[in-house]
Amino acid sequence: MCLAIPARVVELRDDEQALVELGGLRKAISVELVPEARVGDYVIVHVGHAIGMVDPDEAERTLALFGEMAEAVKGATP
C-alpha cells in the first residue's frame, strides 16, 4: 500500500525542487513531475516527489481526516 499526502508549497528552489510544509514540518521535495506548482499550491507528495496537484479545499479536508485518525489512535492506546 502506498500513502501520498497533500502538502503546501512554501518555496520554489532551483533544479526542480521545492520546500513544502505539512503540520509545521518542512521538507525539500522534487517538483519535476508537477512543474506547474507554485508557492501556495497544494501538491500530493509521495516518497519525496510531488506527483500531482490537489484543490486547496480537498487538501484541507484530507489533512483534517488525517488529524482525526491520529487523535482516534491516541485515544485508543491504553
Side-chain angles (χ1 to χ4, degrees):
M1 179 172 83
C2 297
L3 179 63
I5 54 174
R8 187 173 55 86
V9 177
V10 295
E11 180 183 322
L12 293 173
R13 296 180 169 176
D14 294 336
D15 299 325
E16 299 177 320
Q17 298 289 305
L19 188 66
V20 295
E21 182 173 26
L22 176 63
L25 299 174
R26 291 184 174 204
K27 177 172 177 57
I29 64 162
S30 168
V31 288
E32 184 175 1
L33 299 174
V34 190
E36 67 273 21
R38 300 290 175 254
V39 171
D41 287 344
Y42 281 88
V43 292
I44 298 293
V45 179
H46 176 66
V47 195
H49 296 270
I51 59 172
M53 304 278 292
V54 64
D55 175 83
D57 293 331
E58 182 65 24
E60 293 295 338
R61 285 192 298 271
T62 301
L63 293 171
L65 286 172
F66 279 131
E68 289 176 23
M69 288 188 294
E71 287 301 315
V73 169
K74 285 181 189 175
T77 304

